[in-house]
Amino acid sequence: MTTYMNFIDGVFVRGGGESLPNHFPTTGEVIGEISSAGRADVDAAVGAARAALKGPWGRMSIPERVALLRKLADGINARFEEFLAAEIRDTGKPRSIASHIDIPRGAANFNVFADQILTSSTETFEMATPDGAGALNYAVRVPRGVIAVVCPWNLPLLLMTWKVAPALACGNTVVVKPSEETPATATLLGEVMNAVGIPRGVYNVVHGTGPGAAGEFLTTHPDVDGITFTGETRTGEAIMRAAAGGVRPVSLELGGKNAGIIFDDADLETTLEGIGRACFANTGQVCLGTERLYVQRGIFDRLAEGLAAKAKGYRLGDPFDPATTMGPLVSAEHRAKVLSYYDKARAGGATILAGGGIPHMQGYEGGYWIEPTVWTGLSEDAPVVSEEIFGPCTHLTPFDSEEEAVMLANDSPYGLATSIWTNGLSRAHRVARQIEVGIAWVNCWFLRDLRTPFGGSKASGIGREGGVHSLEFYTELRNVCIKL
Ligand code: NAD
Ligand code: 6OD
């Protein structure tokens, strides 16, 4: 049994909050204990982060910080197998995914934002003055201060470092609240912070749940200067309310009900490969995943049949076996939620082309397994078609015209991502501009250049992170006006 401690001021400490069980989703077994932070622990973490701003960290030059960020990336890579095992034990996700996506991106995030801060520039303006001497304006980036980083469980290390890396690159200090489902990699990163010489108090971790616990204590803390959050839209609303006290900036990366649009001129094989990943990767627990598919009528049957075959082709099982391609859902609670939608689909008269229930998993009966599922036949207002499920499932609806496809895709309170599949160049540009989302992929999905703006429209979030956009959030721009 591993005990996950809080990491405060460079030291691992037990928290004064309740102790939570940590489950292995593959079997449902309790494999660890999480020591939650109480209010006093969160106070201590925020206090340590505040003090660190005034210590050696606050006096470091950008190149010195960059050198440390690169050491962090190297430090993760040096302990790759440990990070991998920790992520697998928390999530049940297969090695084939975590070794290609989660852990490499955890390290890459530090290198990318090291590059970004080194190459960033700011504006200068020369101006005329009545006495003819003139003045020069230039902007400098200053760190915001103490940043609260509140994270979900679906891509734990990737999504946490996606925020911690730019926050540190900009000279801030952080207090991280990982999901109570996935405490491991944030805790392990504390060891790497100490090993590479990040000054104490720069990176802190407090464990526990949200309301009435570490998440709320942290986001309502008056000495936090900015809050960055990834998670459900409803939680985002609570965090925004918390941020209103003291008028703190927030960056919110929230839920989605992403539409994929497949035109009849798309290359079927490429599309099935890409859309299969978009629907089922990480057991559908990807905010960018596709749970609504609109398919042009002429290819509807072929596409539906091909996607159902993809769903049936996943190999569920031991996540440490390199041949396994799909893991379970993250928790019993989350599986109950996803299954409630499987029940609604059946009750609503959906045609089930693949899956629809719980698979029999010999030897793993206690795990949170679910079948990848493909439905057709429901109306657009059915809960399965309109609400975020966050499971390995999708619903297919036929369309006839481009206008209809755009209208159907936009008919959602969410606006995170879309993928458009077509060989029509003009159509691709035209449709991408019309879909109300933060990210439009054409003939691909989850293809990431980390310099690009990332975020959601409508109920899918506020703000953009990535590249220079992250620097915008994690720094204050101060204008200096010099009379010459
Ligand atoms: P969640 O909102 O339940 O929890 C996220 C984090 O917030 C957890 O650490 C939780 O403990 C904390 N939290 C909960 N209530 C809180 C409160 N009142 N105050 C402070 N903290 C609180 O989300 P989840 O279930 O962990 O993750 C799945 C959701 O995240 C899905 O909706 C998914 O779409 C979304 N997501 C979005 C993105 C994106 O980039 N847009 C990325 C990943 C996941
Ligand atoms: O790739 C990223 O930077 C990112 N934030 C991905 C989010 C995935 C959501 O589940």
Side-chain angles (χ1 to χ4, degrees):
M1 286 266 279
T2 311
T3 298
Y4 296 105
M5 309 276 250
N6 302 279
F7 184 69
I8 300 174
D9 208 14
V11 180
F12 288 98
V13 290
R14 272 205 86 82
E18 62 177 334
S19 179
L20 303 170
N22 178 230
H23 296 266
F24 183 33
T26 306
T27 59
E29 284 167 282
V30 175
I31 54 166
E33 177 215 1
I34 305 165
S35 173
S36 296
R39 199 184 281 278
D41 305 306
V42 174
D43 282 348
V46 174
R50 172 70 52 204
L53 289 167
K54 302 242 168 350
W57 179 251
R59 293 190 291 275
M60 264 181 212
S61 65
I62 288 178
E64 285 171 320
R65 284 205 306 268
V66 161
L68 282 175
L69 291 182
R70 298 212 191 283
K71 283 188 181 173
L72 283 172
D74 293 346
I76 292 174
N77 284 328
R79 297 178 69 175
F80 193 93
E81 286 298 324
E82 277 176 84
F83 274 96
L84 186 59
E87 207 72 303
I88 291 173
R89 286 159 65 83
D90 264 357
T91 60
K93 68 175 75 193
R95 187 186 172 89
S96 57
I97 291 185
S99 65
H100 282 95
I101 299 176
D102 300 67
I103 312 305
R105 261 295 301 277
N109 285 336
F110 286 103
N111 279 326
V112 163
F113 288 106
D115 292 342
Q116 189 67 51
I117 195 74
L118 269 184
T119 55
S120 84
S121 60
T122 56
E123 301 162 308
T124 63
F125 293 99
E126 283 187 48
M127 64 183 286
T129 53
D131 64 2
L136 177 67
N137 290 274
Y138 65 91
V140 287
R141 289 187 190 285
V142 292
R144 281 197 188 279
V146 177
I147 304 290
V149 182
V150 182
C151 311
W153 43 257
N154 59 326
L155 301 162
L157 182 70
L158 186 162
L159 290 173
M160 181 207 28
T161 52
W162 171 242
K163 287 159 180 295
V164 168
L168 298 192
C170 293
N172 300 283
T173 57
V174 297
V175 181
V176 174
K177 211 297 281 171
S179 167
E180 57 275 26
E181 307 290 352
T182 52
T185 46
T187 311
L188 193 50
L189 189 60
E191 290 183 22
V192 177
M193 293 276 167
N194 281 348
V196 306
I198 296 284
R200 39 187 274 223
V202 170
Y203 173 83
N204 303 275
V205 180
V206 291
H207 289 300
T209 55
E216 185 181 319
F217 302 153
L218 178 61
T219 52
T220 55
H221 200 292
D223 216 19
V224 161
D225 300 302
I227 305 172
T228 181
F229 169 74
T230 307
E232 282 188 23
T233 295
R234 240 193 351 223
T235 315
E237 290 171 350
I239 295 219
M240 210 168 160
R241 279 193 291 275
V247 197
R248 277 93 48 82
V250 279
S251 173
L252 301 178
E253 295 182 354
L254 307 178
K257 186 71 182 178
N258 308 303
I261 304 177
I262 304 175
F263 289 98
D264 59 10
D265 62 354
D267 177 78
L268 203 63
E269 207 173 307
T270 316
T271 303
L272 276 172
E273 192 53 42
I275 209 69
R277 282 198 312 115
C279 297
F280 307 123
N282 207 37
T283 321
Q285 302 165 121
V286 181
C287 61
L288 310 157
T290 304
E291 292 188 352
R292 299 184 288 147
L293 259 180
Y294 300 105
V295 185
Q296 204 153 16
R297 201 173 297 276
I299 58 163
F300 187 85
D301 289 344
R302 268 189 301 153
L303 198 289
E305 196 182 307
L307 192 62
K310 288 265 173 227
K312 291 173 189 163
Y314 276 91
R315 182 161 165 178
L316 282 61
D318 176 4
F320 290 98
D321 179 346
T324 298
T325 52
M326 185 176 283
L329 292 169
V330 75
S331 64
E333 224 180 2
H334 187 53
R335 184 173 69 169
K337 176 188 161 187
V338 175
L339 272 177
S340 76
Y341 283 96
Y342 283 30
D343 292 344
K344 284 178 197 170
R346 195 170 297 107
T351 303
I352 304 170
L353 300 181
I358 296 178
H360 176 63
M361 297 294 295
Q362 184 84 37
Y364 300 111
E365 287 82 1
Y368 314 131
W369 299 94
I370 192 134
E371 287 178 330
T373 294
V374 180
W375 303 288
T376 62
L378 294 174
S379 62
E380 289 301 292
D381 59 357
V384 162
V385 185
S386 56
E387 296 169 15
E388 182 184 53
I389 303 173
F390 221 54
C393 51
T394 198
H395 178 270
L396 277 66
T397 302
F399 69 86
D400 292 300
S401 68
E402 187 178 306
E403 294 69 29
E404 186 189 5
V406 169
M407 188 270 294
L408 288 166
N410 282 342
D411 187 19
S412 169
Y414 293 107
L416 186 54
T418 189
S419 63
I420 301 158
W421 302 83
T422 178
N423 274 329
L425 188 58
S426 300
R427 166 183 275 163
H429 286 289
R430 206 166 47 231
V431 174
R433 277 171 183 254
Q434 291 178 77
I435 306 293
E436 297 157 353
V437 288
I439 306 143
W441 277 294
V442 176
N443 295 331
C444 58
W445 175 78
F446 205 170
L447 183 58
R448 296 280 288 116
D449 179 328
L450 305 186
R451 296 167 300 182
T452 58
F454 181 95
S457 304
K458 303 200 273 190
S460 291
I462 292 186
R464 295 291 179 269
E465 297 199 38
V468 71
H469 311 283
S470 294
L471 306 191
E472 301 292 326
F473 180 72
Y474 295 105
T475 55
E476 256 335 319
L477 271 178
R478 176 178 302 149
N479 188 64
V480 180
C481 176
I482 303 192
K483 173 82 183 355
L484 300 175

